[in-house]
Amino acid sequence: MKLTTENKILFSRILTRSGDQAWDFAVPLVLLMIFPDQLKIAALYYFLVKLVTVMSLPKLTSFIDRLNRLKTARLGIALQLVGVIVGTAAIFQLSTFSSEVFNWDNFNASSGFVFLVLGGILSSLGSGFMDIAIANDLVPSTINEKDLSKFNSRLRQVDLLTEVTSPVIAGLILMLDQPLLLGFFIVAIWNVISFFPELALLQSIFRDRPDLMEKKIQIHEFSKRTIFEKLTLGWRAFFKEPVALVALAYSFLWLSVLSPHGVLLAAYLKDGWQLPEWGIGTFRGMGAIFGLLATFLYPIAEKKWGLLKGTRNFIVYQTAALIIALVCFFQAGIFGQVGFLVFILLSRIGLYGFSLGEMQIRQIGINANVRGEVNGFATALTGIATLALYGAGALLPTTEDFKILVVGSVVFVGMGCWVYLFWLRTTQFKPKSIELEP
């Protein structure tokens, strides 16, 4: 049976997401295996990877607007492939370090960490690049606008499926530690192998639909400017886009510790409330289930209220759920704790529903010839929010300080809701032509 273009996109998404999730799960655990109780090494690794990704992704994604889609896919997959290979070699080098205490003066340790960060940056850039190239460029050029909400929901279901299953499978594989790091190398091989069928699926799409491979390519005077000028002017140009405030509203939602799979909330539940690991793990799994529920509700809401108002209802619902969670948080006793966790789970329906609406608004609201660059800046906004969140966690590190982070999270989600409502009242948003081919 011949696969449809839509199914090829979904299968390629499963391959890339499963590998990404397994890799992201395995790296910090292996670092802790090599350097026990050295959590700061893993924290520094993720901070540096995220920082460089945020700074570089908008420039990198501009290539999406200047290359044909086949070359774009090859570039994104190549970045991920090289990133995983370099990262794997770096982990092997770090494992040869004889001491369990990280020492920057040791060549094996310091150079291994540098190459690990380099691999992480390449992998992260490739993953973000491919996400934008597929979800924000290929999909709106392939799927009819009336079918976008259903297809986007299926994409998000794939993401949630891999978010739940890949870490579990990777965790079981990591238990194979004889010889040393055998499980990690199996995860690395899994990730590397996944890139080849992913590329084959994308190539088959362009072979069946050669009209999708080529697109209007424009070379601007802008490309001759320095990197600093490109970033400065790029941000100015981004905020002139009709959908910029929608992306800004979404980025505010990332300034929240109230996420079932968030590191800061998990640490508080363990240290502050003394919840067992199985309880925290169950809570995280339930978060994915409630997110999955949103993917089924979103097409119904979009059909009933339309794209803009349906998206509005999801973010208003999320804000209301988190306000109730905040009230529960300051209530003493088991009922306050249960209420806090329950309303965080309920808020995930609003978050995932709004994220689907925000993605669809960007898909149909951005000119086809600048999709890569504009979506790169939109993705960078959420990266900046993540950095700010971890910075706040570093400045407020104690369990007692967590209540400040909870209040701040609700405030920022409320700000995101206000920004979207403001945009909704003032916008004259009209979807751009998505240049669908017959």
Side-chain angles (χ1 to χ4, degrees):
M1 182 179 67
K2 186 176 181 180
L3 291 175
T4 64
T5 299
E6 292 82 356
N7 286 332
K8 288 178 182 178
I9 294 174
L10 290 172
F11 280 123
S12 69
R13 182 84 163 195
I14 290 174
L15 290 168
T16 188
R17 287 296 190 188
S18 62
D20 288 347
Q21 293 285 351
W23 180 258
D24 289 342
F25 179 81
V27 170
L29 293 183
V30 170
L31 282 175
L32 288 173
M33 287 170 57
I34 299 172
F35 304 108
D37 300 322
Q38 299 286 299
L39 186 59
K40 61 183 180 181
I41 301 300
L44 180 60
Y45 163 77
Y46 276 107
F47 176 80
L48 292 174
V49 169
K50 180 64 69 174
L51 179 63
V52 176
T53 301
V54 166
M55 295 176 62
S56 307
L57 189 61
K59 172 55 183 170
L60 179 65
T61 53
S62 67
F63 283 99
I64 295 173
D65 305 321
R66 303 203 293 270
L67 299 174
N68 70 47
R69 291 191 174 98
L70 179 56
K71 291 181 179 178
T72 295
R74 287 172 175 169
L75 175 59
I77 291 174
L79 285 171
Q80 291 177 286
L81 176 62
V82 174
V84 172
I85 293 173
V86 171
T88 303
I91 288 291
F92 176 77
Q93 182 169 339
L94 286 170
S95 69
T96 63
F97 183 55
S98 58
S99 173
E100 292 184 347
V101 179
F102 191 90
N103 181 4
W104 288 106
D105 294 329
N106 183 277
F107 177 79
N108 279 354
S110 58
S111 61
F113 181 79
V114 169
F115 278 105
L116 180 63
V117 170
L118 175 61
I121 290 169
L122 292 174
S123 181
S124 179
L125 285 173
S127 178
F129 184 88
M130 286 299 292
D131 188 42
I132 292 171
I134 302 302
N136 297 106
D137 183 33
L138 179 60
V139 167
S141 296
T142 307
I143 310 299
N144 285 308
E145 186 176 331
K146 62 183 179 64
D147 298 322
L148 268 178
S149 62
K150 291 182 179 179
F151 188 79
N152 287 337
S153 294
R154 294 175 71 187
L155 276 180
R156 191 53 53 89
Q157 288 164 10
V158 166
D159 293 347
L160 289 168
L161 176 66
T162 56
E163 182 181 321
V164 173
T165 58
S166 293
V168 173
I169 296 172
L172 293 173
I173 294 174
L174 288 174
M175 294 175 65
L176 302 173
D177 56 359
Q178 297 297 329
L180 183 64
L181 301 182
L182 173 62
F184 173 76
F185 291 123
I186 293 176
V187 171
I189 292 171
W190 165 14
N191 209 353
V192 167
I193 290 175
S194 71
F195 295 132
F196 295 98
E198 178 191 2
L199 180 59
L201 284 168
L202 294 175
Q203 286 178 326
S204 70
I205 291 175
F206 301 129
R207 187 168 53 250
D208 295 339
R209 292 280 308 274
D211 54 284
L212 291 174
M213 186 186 306
E214 300 296 338
K215 55 187 174 180
K216 296 177 181 179
I217 299 173
Q218 298 184 2
I219 304 298
H220 301 280
E221 188 70 20
F222 179 74
S223 63
K224 299 178 182 179
R225 299 181 184 272
T226 66
I227 292 177
F228 178 77
E229 287 175 329
K230 289 174 181 177
L231 287 176
T232 303
L233 295 176
W235 279 112
R236 291 177 185 174
F238 169 75
F239 280 108
K240 291 179 181 178
E241 286 287 325
V243 301
L245 286 182
V246 183
L248 179 63
Y250 182 57
S251 70
F252 276 123
L253 307 188
W254 286 66
L255 285 165
S256 171
V257 298
L258 303 179
S259 167
H261 59 266
V263 175
L264 297 176
L265 179 58
Y268 176 78
L269 295 178
K270 176 63 179 175
D271 189 52
W273 285 4
Q274 304 297 313
L275 293 187
E277 286 79 1
W278 66 264
I280 298 173
T282 301
F283 177 60
R284 176 171 178 163
M286 290 295 292
I289 292 174
F290 276 83
L292 186 62
L293 178 60
T295 66
F296 293 101
L297 294 176
Y298 173 75
I300 299 172
E302 194 262 351
K303 183 177 181 180
K304 181 176 182 179
W305 292 299
L307 173 60
L308 303 188
K309 291 183 179 180
T311 303
R312 173 202 64 189
N313 292 345
F314 277 111
I315 195 171
V316 169
Y317 167 81
Q318 181 194 4
T319 304
L322 288 181
I323 289 173
I324 299 174
L326 176 64
V327 173
C328 294
F329 180 77
F330 285 101
Q331 302 299 312
I334 187 66
F335 290 107
Q337 292 181 344
V338 171
F340 176 66
L341 298 179
V342 166
F343 278 98
I344 286 179
L345 292 175
L346 291 173
S347 75
R348 306 304 284 177
I349 298 174
L351 172 63
Y352 279 89
F354 180 78
S355 72
L356 283 167
E358 186 264 352
M359 180 171 69
Q360 187 169 339
I361 289 171
R362 281 192 283 128
Q363 285 174 328
I364 64 178
I366 299 173
N367 278 321
N369 64 326
V370 292
R371 281 182 187 148
E373 188 163 1
V374 173
N375 282 294
F377 280 103
T379 303
L381 273 178
T382 61
I384 292 170
T386 301
L387 287 174
L389 180 65
Y390 284 119
L395 294 173
L396 301 167
T398 68
T399 303
E400 185 63 25
D401 291 331
F402 189 75
K403 61 178 180 289
I404 300 175
L405 296 177
V406 172
V407 173
S409 298
V410 177
V411 169
F412 279 113
V413 170
M415 288 176 62
C417 182
W418 180 86
V419 169
Y420 182 78
L421 294 177
F422 173 79
W423 176 81
L424 198 58
R425 288 188 60 185
T426 59
T427 187
Q428 295 181 346
F429 172 75
K430 294 181 180 179
K432 304 290 195 304
S433 170
I434 57 179
E435 299 184 358
L436 280 169
E437 299 290 343

